[in-house]
Amino acid sequence: MPLIIYFGIACLFIGTLSASIWFSNSSYSSLLNFVTDTLKRPDLKPLIQKSLFPPKKYQLIYKFHWMVYPVILAVTIALYLNVRKISVHVLFAIRYIQSTLFHIIIFFKALPAKEKLLLGAGAVIYVFLILYNNHLKEISYDEAWGYNYYINKHFYFPFILFNTYPLFNLITHFFTFLPFDTLVNIRIPSLLFGLLSLLGLFYILYKRAGFALSALALAILAASPLFYIYTSLSRGITLSLFISILITQIILRITDGNTFSKRYRFLFIILNILGIISMPTFFVFTICNSIFLYYYTRHLKPILTSAAVIFVASFLWYLPVLLTSGVSLISHNNHYTFNIIDTINRLSDFLFGLSQLFFSSKYIMLLLLSLAFVSLPLKPLAGSKKTIIDYCLFVIIFTLTARAITGNIFPERSLNCLITNCILIFISLISIFVRRTNASTKAVLTLSSIAIFSYLCIRNQKELLGPVEDKDAKIVGDLLIRNDIENGYIDEEEFWFCVPMIEYYYSEAQKNIHFSTSAINSTRYKAFSADDKYDCIITKTTSSNNYRLDYKELFRNNSFVIWMRLRNMEQKSLNYHKK
């Protein structure tokens, strides 16, 4: 083990020293060119120079960056002098992880054969369903954006440029080396973490509610629009959901009578760090869990220490982002002023939005929370069931309140961890009545859940495959590539939804395309001039065009028209006849 630690320290020293030397020998213009050339977006230079990373910020960082060298040296020496202590801690960490994995493996091995068969068959069916979706579904706007600017770039780009799913983009980058189609490769991690989320939820509920209700919980989660859609797309939702399920299991284990021991403390710290670097909004879940742990255990010091380690490690991860992209991007330029009426409206809107995303209905989540509050004084709801509902209600209310008061515009999907709490509340409530029912009633419940699952899956399928822009982008991308279009002028707003997807298709074809636009608030703005001789021009369907003599219609839908320069068509025809 010490040899491995020595090797790790050496790699850390060489890596940080090399990065520091590279920065020391890089001028502002060379850094700027490196970023814009890698992103293939020279139009971003004015924005970067003006607000994101102006010369003054570079000069300030460059002035103080020399302090990094003695820090690197001092940290390296300190690590070398404490190799034995580090080895002991690493061995403890490995043992904690091994012990946890061992318990999970033993748990699944101990399941009855019939339950293993049903669980395995359900997983296989779900995998085939998602893979079938991947075959039908063209790349979406957000997927193309993530691929173009993070996944398909240097592996360290999620470290230095602001993005919503840093850890997911880092992991997915390495999946691009698999020998499959690119779109399949970048969607595999979502499917993988989706399956792990299902298994994690099953593990939480099995000993508390039995196989039937655990399977019902899996059906609810799998049929949820949030889970079904984002398991099919290359987004970091299922990764953060999986991490939140693991943390929930740790919290529930502690509430079952276990102390906040070193093992649980270690897992709590590691998982929360991974959660925050998988999605910045995860810190709300971390704060909430820390407060609940203190309320339940009254152990202030270990909880504060754990929280401090989590937030320091997370801050160090996001430090390059703070230095480059700036805090304004992370806060989404939110200038919300607290107001009671506005806060109530935001809270209700967000609750209804979450419920629609989780359960395809605006009111199910409100109904579930109402039933949970009403049932708290009931005698049958005692022991672990009451603790679960207490915990889940606390997480939901804390998160909704924090979101409403701060005014941070978090999209509903960013707080995906709440779906687990809703399902746990539902299963805890229904378990009171299911245990007192006969076999025929359980059969009716099973058939009903299958019917609801099937209906929601069909509905989710329509929503997943529904966006017209994704299909149009595929058609337009193929047309532009076939006609050797290298640049275009956009004079229509709706077309912007197709641009990231078109850039993705060009990347797959190992070609480049550059767009300019008439939108003055865009970094690609450029006043139109006939002298530029664009290969294509995109206009509204109702606009009058003075350049139709030089251009011919190539594509039209309800939103825009693509006009292609006649010289391109003539050259294309000439090339064809030469062949």
Side-chain angles (χ1 to χ4, degrees):
M1 180 56 70
L3 290 177
I4 298 175
I5 301 298
Y6 279 122
F7 178 75
I9 294 172
C11 291
L12 181 65
F13 173 75
I14 294 171
T16 52
L17 185 63
S18 300
S20 301
I21 293 174
W22 175 79
F23 182 80
S24 298
N25 291 299
S26 298
S27 63
Y28 179 76
S29 59
S30 64
L31 286 174
L32 190 62
N33 291 332
F34 169 72
V35 173
T36 55
D37 290 347
T38 304
L39 296 176
K40 298 178 183 177
R41 290 289 304 276
D43 57 281
L44 290 176
K45 282 186 178 180
L47 176 65
I48 295 173
Q49 291 174 317
K50 184 178 180 180
S51 59
L52 297 182
F53 194 63
K56 286 185 178 180
K57 183 183 286 188
Y58 165 79
Q59 292 168 3
L60 182 64
I61 294 173
Y62 194 87
K63 181 179 180 180
F64 289 99
H65 93 280
W66 299 105
M67 298 170 60
V68 172
Y69 289 100
V71 170
I72 292 173
L73 183 61
V75 169
T76 304
I77 293 173
L79 291 175
Y80 267 108
L81 294 176
N82 292 277
V83 165
R84 293 190 178 277
K85 290 183 180 180
I86 295 171
S87 299
V88 171
H89 289 293
V90 171
L91 283 172
F92 271 122
I94 292 173
R95 286 173 184 171
Y96 291 153
I97 295 172
Q98 284 178 338
S99 174
T100 302
L101 292 176
F102 176 77
H103 281 96
I104 294 173
I105 292 171
I106 291 297
F107 164 77
F108 283 104
K109 281 186 175 181
L111 290 175
K114 186 184 293 186
E115 294 178 357
K116 283 182 186 176
L117 179 63
L118 291 173
L119 191 63
V124 170
I125 291 171
Y126 200 75
V127 168
F128 274 105
L129 182 60
I130 299 302
L131 292 178
Y132 176 71
N133 288 342
N134 291 348
H135 171 70
L136 295 177
K137 171 70 176 172
E138 296 87 358
I139 194 167
S140 64
Y141 179 93
D142 290 324
E143 287 181 298
W145 184 277
Y147 178 80
N148 294 338
Y149 295 110
Y150 307 108
I151 297 171
N152 195 33
K153 304 305 178 188
H154 303 293
F155 76 92
Y156 52 81
F157 257 52
F159 291 84
I160 60 175
L161 296 180
F162 174 75
N163 57 112
T164 313
Y165 313 110
L167 184 59
F168 178 83
N169 289 331
L170 176 63
I171 293 170
T172 308
H173 171 83
F174 295 102
F175 274 82
T176 59
F177 297 107
L178 292 175
F180 308 118
D181 181 76
T182 301
L183 194 53
V184 174
N185 289 340
I186 64 175
R187 287 174 174 173
I188 287 177
S190 292
L191 174 57
L192 174 63
F193 290 116
L195 285 174
L196 291 174
S197 298
L198 291 171
L199 293 176
L201 183 60
F202 182 84
Y203 181 77
I204 288 176
L205 283 171
Y206 184 80
K207 290 183 178 180
R208 294 178 171 88
F211 180 81
L213 289 180
S214 300
L216 175 61
L218 297 191
I220 294 171
L221 179 59
S224 163
L226 169 83
F227 191 82
Y228 186 88
I229 291 172
Y230 287 106
T231 306
S232 303
L233 300 178
S234 179
R235 307 289 296 279
I237 301 298
T238 55
L239 171 59
S240 64
L241 178 62
F242 172 60
I243 295 172
S244 70
I245 288 173
L246 295 180
I247 294 172
T248 300
Q249 167 63 6
I250 292 174
I251 300 295
L252 295 181
R253 288 285 292 175
I254 294 172
T255 59
D256 283 342
N258 298 282
T259 60
F260 193 43
S261 61
K262 287 184 177 179
R263 178 189 170 198
Y264 289 125
R265 203 179 309 167
F266 167 77
L267 293 173
F268 183 78
I269 291 172
I270 295 299
L271 289 173
N272 275 283
I273 292 172
L274 292 176
I276 293 174
I277 65 179
S278 70
M279 190 182 295
T281 53
F282 200 93
F283 78 90
V284 177
F285 189 61
T286 300
I287 295 173
C288 179
N289 282 314
S290 300
I291 294 173
F292 183 83
L293 274 179
Y294 170 69
Y295 168 78
Y296 196 84
T297 65
R298 301 295 178 179
H299 294 160
L300 182 61
K301 185 176 180 180
I303 292 170
L304 282 179
T305 304
S306 301
V309 172
I310 291 167
F311 286 108
V312 168
S314 303
F315 174 77
L316 291 176
W317 170 279
Y318 283 109
L319 183 60
V321 174
L322 295 171
L323 293 175
T324 54
S325 302
V327 181
S328 58
L329 275 178
I330 297 177
S331 63
H332 299 283
N333 294 316
N334 180 43
H335 302 292
Y336 171 66
T337 303
F338 178 76
N339 179 281
I340 294 178
I341 297 176
D342 194 21
T343 298
I344 294 172
N345 291 333
R346 283 171 176 264
L347 186 58
S348 60
D349 289 344
F350 190 63
L351 179 62
F352 292 146
L354 277 177
S355 186
Q356 186 71 39
L357 180 63
F358 289 173
F359 307 113
S360 296
S361 173
K362 292 172 62 175
Y363 305 106
I364 288 182
M365 196 168 170
L366 181 61
L367 176 62
L368 190 63
L369 292 176
S370 301
L371 289 174
F373 277 112
V374 170
S375 63
L376 284 176
L378 299 179
K379 288 184 179 180
L381 194 68
S384 62
K385 290 188 184 68
K386 187 178 185 304
T387 304
I388 289 173
I389 291 181
D390 286 342
Y391 166 69
C392 293
L393 284 176
F394 179 79
V395 171
I396 294 171
I397 293 171
F398 179 91
T399 305
L400 293 177
T401 305
R403 198 266 186 185
I405 292 176
T406 59
N408 287 323
I409 308 173
F410 301 148
E412 287 84 359
R413 63 180 180 271
S414 66
L415 297 176
N416 53 78
C417 57
L418 298 186
I419 191 172
T420 307
N421 302 109
C422 292
I423 292 173
L424 289 175
I425 289 174
F426 175 72
I427 297 298
S428 297
L429 291 175
I430 203 173
S431 64
I432 299 172
F433 305 100
V434 170
R435 287 188 176 184
R436 298 179 181 180
T437 57
N438 53 32
S440 60
T441 307
K442 290 184 179 180
V444 170
L445 288 172
T446 303
L447 292 174
S448 300
S449 64
I450 292 173
I452 294 170
F453 172 77
S454 302
Y455 166 74
L456 289 177
C457 281
I458 293 170
R459 182 173 175 174
N460 294 336
Q461 189 81 358
K462 292 180 180 179
E463 186 175 349
L464 175 67
L465 302 177
V468 178
E469 294 85 4
D470 300 351
K471 300 174 183 177
D472 285 347
K474 173 66 174 175
I475 297 170
V476 171
D478 290 342
L479 275 175
L480 298 182
I481 291 170
R482 285 204 308 268
N483 288 281
D484 298 324
I485 302 295
E486 296 181 354
N487 57 72
Y489 191 82
I490 303 173
D491 193 21
E492 202 285 321
E493 294 179 358
E494 294 293 327
F495 185 77
W496 282 110
F497 289 104
C498 298
V499 170
M501 289 92 90
I502 291 171
E503 291 175 339
Y504 164 79
Y505 294 123
Y506 265 79
S507 173
E508 288 296 281
Q510 297 183 340
K511 294 184 176 182
N512 295 319
I513 187 169
H514 175 72
F515 288 108
S516 299
T517 180
S518 59
I520 59 175
N521 60 341
S522 172
T523 59
R524 308 192 201 211
Y525 169 74
K526 187 177 182 181
F528 179 79
S529 172
D531 296 334
D532 290 327
K533 296 180 179 179
Y534 294 102
D535 291 342
C536 71
I537 297 175
I538 299 93
T539 68
K540 297 179 180 178
T541 55
T542 57
S543 63
S544 58
N545 303 293
N546 300 321
Y547 37 77
R548 287 185 176 175
L549 294 176
D550 298 325
Y551 289 82
K552 183 178 179 180
E553 184 177 311
L554 179 66
F555 176 85
R556 175 186 291 265
N557 65 10
N558 295 329
S559 301
F560 57 82
V561 182
I562 300 179
W563 305 88
M564 180 176 171
R565 193 155 63 101
L566 289 175
R567 182 177 297 179
N568 282 71
M569 287 190 170
E570 294 167 0
Q571 186 63 41
K572 185 74 177 177
S573 176
L574 180 62
N575 293 340
Y576 176 79
H577 288 299
K578 283 182 178 180
K579 291 179 181 178

